[in-house]
Amino acid sequence: MNARATTSAQDVRQNLSYGPVALVTGASDGIGRAFAHDLARRGYDVVLVARRIEILENLAADIRARHQVAVDIIPADLGKADEVERVLRELERFDLGLFVAAAGFGTSGAFTEQPLAPELDMIDVNCRAVVAMTHVLARRLVVRKRGGIVLLSSLVAFQGVPLAANYAATKAFIQSLVEGLRPELKIHGVDIIACAPGPVASGFGKRANMVMGKAESPDVVARETIDKLGRKSVVRPGRLAKLLEAAFTGMPRWGRVRIMTLVMKGMARGAENHA
């Protein structure tokens, strides 16, 4: 048995409530990486999924050294259906109590000027893989009658967003999915929450070719989300997300779209950077 890092009484109760092992996809960078550290700090053993094996290995070593928990890695590209199926098979050997689906990416620029392939890949990663993994893992948690699930929504999920139309649509899908699943799963003792941050200081902006400007720390996003799991259906972590949402309160969708048009004109730099 691995020694556990020191945690607060609340963290320990949460750990015992959900189970001993947490799964984090998209763990190699940004929000996923922050979730991996936060959950390990709370005492969870963690299973990390991402594409880049070298980064995963380095992250696993860092987490073991800092938090004294068990860490397993599963390198995989969740944009490929067969890779998702392989990951799910490998996960059968773990007593998972918590699932954080942080893998995802975006693009920016006029939809008709983007190459089609990245837009379809985004749907596969942001939506298809999330549904496939949530379906299988939620069934396992329902049988256990306990567990937690975190899916990544976004501030852009609540209205259409010009110059990021497809990305915003994938996040609207996730937001709606969580809202529908929460009452279904709650009766079985399984909690689910949508994490809907605003701009976050991570690798997302570079890949989406966006200028992020003011951005929240991934650590704040992870910490506030896990703290609210089981208490709310959606969390807007960080002061920036809360401020932006407050500014939108009571505004019709067309008005929100108009404001997001102005915001994206200052953020979007064009097509996805494939470098």
Side-chain angles (χ1 to χ4, degrees):
M1 182 74 66
N2 290 303
R4 297 291 186 184
T6 302
T7 56
S8 69
Q10 178 183 350
D11 290 340
V12 171
R13 285 196 299 272
Q14 190 174 52
N15 185 26
L16 294 175
S17 173
Y18 290 135
V21 183
L23 166 69
V24 181
T25 67
S28 62
D29 190 23
I31 294 175
R33 188 182 188 93
F35 269 111
H37 274 289
D38 185 81
L39 291 168
R41 177 183 62 81
R42 295 171 190 262
Y44 286 93
D45 294 331
V46 291
V47 181
L48 311 177
V49 176
R51 292 176 302 160
R52 296 168 288 183
I53 186 170
E54 298 86 358
I55 294 178
L56 278 179
E57 289 174 340
N58 291 335
L59 175 60
D62 186 31
I63 290 175
R64 292 188 192 104
R66 289 193 190 189
H67 308 294
Q68 294 81 51
V69 298
V71 185
D72 288 86
I73 64 172
I74 305 177
D77 181 352
L78 298 182
K80 300 177 179 178
D82 59 338
E83 290 281 277
V84 174
E85 293 172 2
R86 177 178 61 81
V87 169
L88 289 169
R89 288 194 300 270
E90 292 194 34
L91 290 173
E92 291 176 0
R93 61 192 174 95
F94 297 101
D95 186 14
L96 290 178
L98 194 102
F99 167 41
V100 178
F105 71 96
T107 60
S108 67
F111 179 72
T112 55
E113 296 175 4
Q114 306 304 306
L116 178 59
E119 300 300 315
L120 296 178
D121 288 345
M122 182 172 22
I123 294 172
D124 285 339
V125 175
N126 294 9
C127 299
R128 188 183 188 282
V130 173
V131 170
M133 297 190 72
T134 300
H135 186 263
V136 171
L137 298 177
R139 282 185 166 188
R140 288 178 56 179
L141 298 178
V142 164
V143 170
R144 296 171 74 248
K145 298 192 180 301
R146 60 175 179 152
I149 298 172
V150 176
L151 303 187
L152 265 292
S153 177
S154 171
L155 194 69
V156 304
F158 302 94
Q159 67 285 304
V161 180
L163 302 182
N166 192 32
Y167 173 69
T170 67
K171 293 306 175 181
F173 176 90
I174 296 299
Q175 182 64 40
S176 181
L177 180 66
V178 171
E179 291 174 4
L181 287 179
R182 189 169 189 256
E184 291 185 21
L185 297 177
K186 192 70 175 178
I187 61 176
H188 299 289
V190 178
D191 296 324
I192 187 169
I193 193 169
C195 170
V200 179
S202 69
F204 174 88
K206 181 178 179 181
R207 187 173 186 186
N209 212 12
M210 292 183 187
V211 178
M212 300 304 287
K214 292 182 180 180
E216 191 58 75
S217 162
D219 295 336
V220 170
V221 173
R223 182 179 67 253
E224 290 193 12
T225 300
I226 298 301
D227 285 346
K228 297 298 183 182
L229 180 60
R231 304 177 189 178
K232 300 182 69 175
S233 61
V234 58
V235 59
R236 295 174 176 85
R239 286 180 293 180
L240 180 58
K242 293 178 178 65
L243 178 64
L244 290 172
E245 182 57 28
F248 283 157
T249 299
M251 188 178 296
R253 285 181 69 96
W254 66 263
R256 296 168 74 120
V257 171
R258 181 170 294 179
I259 289 177
M260 291 306 300
T261 300
L262 298 175
V263 170
M264 285 303 300
K265 282 182 178 179
M267 292 177 63
R269 294 187 297 195
E272 182 190 12
N273 182 354
H274 291 278

